[in-house]
Amino acid sequence: MQRSRKRKQEESSSCSKESATKSARNDVVVDPYPSHPRPTPVECRAVRDDLLALHGFPQRFEKYRKLRLPPLPHTSSPGLDGGGGTPVKLDPSDGDDVNGSSQKESVLDGLVSIILSQNTTDVNSQRAFASLKSAFPTWQDVLAADSKSIENAIRCGGLAVTKASCIKKMLSCLLERKGKLCLEYLRDLTVDEIKTELSHFKGIGPKTVIQIGKAIGWVPAVADRKKAYLHLNRRIPDELKFDLNCLLFTHGKLCHECTQKGANQKRKESHESSCPLLTYCGDMFKSSSPN
């Protein structure tokens, strides 16, 4: 009996090791542009530090950062809504929501907040989210509401028609796939598994980061979104990925030079005159051709 039990334990251990080995192999993703040498780890850190000095770390993402990475140096920078001199708090007590509540944010809350933050300031996106939750207390209420009512609730955040449609489609897709409006299961998944899950939702993606990546020569100009993502995911050091994603996303909302948004962006919401990424453009943009 003891020999049989021992044999089963050995088999189980062997299967576990085999599974782990397969998983490790699957995690190895081929770079679609192996001859494109940028970004280098030094460049990644330099851009992170330059954007951190310009914007400070985005307050909306601080609570997520503290769950995964060591603290950044304390810094003071212009506020993301165009104001100035607001210090970035990195102490453990920071991370309350826009209304000062310490209530735990759901994953679905966070995803909708990101959708509402596109092409607007943090202040306006937070107002839009608060207005949406006030008009529709549950996500079931949002899904059941007509698009016009949702648009009216989030209008202060801009692009109301586009964002309302994206939110409705995302909720509908989630309900169809999972049978309920809840994304808490993502907390138990790996980063790659989370990316796969979110890819099912139209309108959720790294578009802004990739636009800037092309502008500063980190990605070949001809790269599509998927190949650009794979290249950056291979080249950027793991410990800098979260910071760069948050900072480039924020920078993309403020600097039309990097994302070619056009001249209608309000001057007070833009930092194009002092954009630190301009030093990474120019000849470097043509430094390599795609494979």
Side-chain angles (χ1 to χ4, degrees), residues 80-94:
L80 299 184
D81 60 343
T86 303
V88 177
K89 298 187 298 179
L90 294 173
D91 58 275
S93 62
D94 191 34

Side-chain angles (χ1 to χ4, degrees), residues 220-241:
V222 297
D224 60 28
R225 189 178 301 187
K226 182 177 180 181
K227 289 182 179 179
Y229 168 78
L230 291 174
H231 176 72
L232 291 175
N233 198 44
R234 289 281 292 172
R235 300 289 304 181
I236 297 175
D238 288 342
E239 68 273 16
L240 296 177
K241 285 177 181 175

Side-chain angles (χ1 to χ4, degrees), residues 98-117:
V98 68
N99 296 316
S101 168
S102 59
Q103 183 178 355
K104 184 179 179 182
E105 179 186 61
S106 73
V107 177
L108 188 51
D109 287 350
L111 184 57
V112 174
S113 294
I114 293 298
I115 293 173
L116 292 174
S117 72

Side-chain angles (χ1 to χ4, degrees), residues 63-259:
K63 55 188 173 184
Y64 307 118
R65 190 187 193 284
K66 286 185 291 190
L67 295 175
R68 57 171 61 214
L69 295 169
L72 287 164
H74 181 84
T75 184
S76 178
S77 65
L80 299 184
D81 60 343
T86 303
V88 177
K89 298 187 298 179
L90 294 173
D91 58 275
S93 62
D94 191 34
D96 292 347
D97 65 20
V98 68
N99 296 316
S101 168
S102 59
Q103 183 178 355
K104 184 179 179 182
E105 179 186 61
S106 73
V107 177
L108 188 51
D109 287 350
L111 184 57
V112 174
S113 294
I114 293 298
I115 293 173
L116 292 174
S117 72
Q118 295 170 6
N119 294 289
T120 190
T121 64
D122 282 355
V123 169
N124 285 341
S125 69
Q126 289 168 2
R127 286 174 181 160
F129 183 80
S131 176
L132 180 66
K133 294 294 282 184
S134 176
F136 307 103
T138 70
W139 295 119
Q140 287 83 358
D141 294 335
V142 175
L143 182 57
D146 62 274
S147 296
K148 196 66 178 177
S149 297
I150 299 175
E151 292 167 20
N152 291 335
I154 64 175
R155 198 168 301 281
C156 61
L159 298 178
V161 175
T162 301
K163 292 176 183 178
S165 174
C166 183
I167 291 170
K168 284 270 286 184
K169 287 178 180 177
M170 183 269 291
L171 293 175
S172 179
C173 179
L174 177 59
L175 184 63
E176 182 179 340
R177 294 187 66 249
K178 296 297 179 180
K180 59 181 179 179
L181 298 179
C182 179
L183 286 173
E184 295 307 299
Y185 69 94
L186 294 181
R187 296 183 188 274
D188 299 321
L189 303 184
T190 65
V191 172
D192 287 336
E193 288 171 339
I194 291 172
K195 291 172 184 174
T196 300
E197 285 293 305
L198 293 181
S199 69
H200 293 293
F201 306 128
K202 188 176 180 181
I204 309 297
K207 180 180 179 182
T208 300
V209 173
I210 289 173
Q211 282 180 317
I212 296 177
K214 288 184 177 182
I216 63 177
W218 281 12
V219 178
V222 297
D224 60 28
R225 189 178 301 187
K226 182 177 180 181
K227 289 182 179 179
Y229 168 78
L230 291 174
H231 176 72
L232 291 175
N233 198 44
R234 289 281 292 172
R235 300 289 304 181
I236 297 175
D238 288 342
E239 68 273 16
L240 296 177
K241 285 177 181 175
F242 184 80
D243 288 352
L244 279 172
N245 190 58
C246 295
L247 286 163
L248 288 170
F249 173 79
T250 298
H251 187 70
K253 295 196 296 179
L254 301 175
C255 181
H256 74 253
E257 292 293 327
C258 286
T259 51

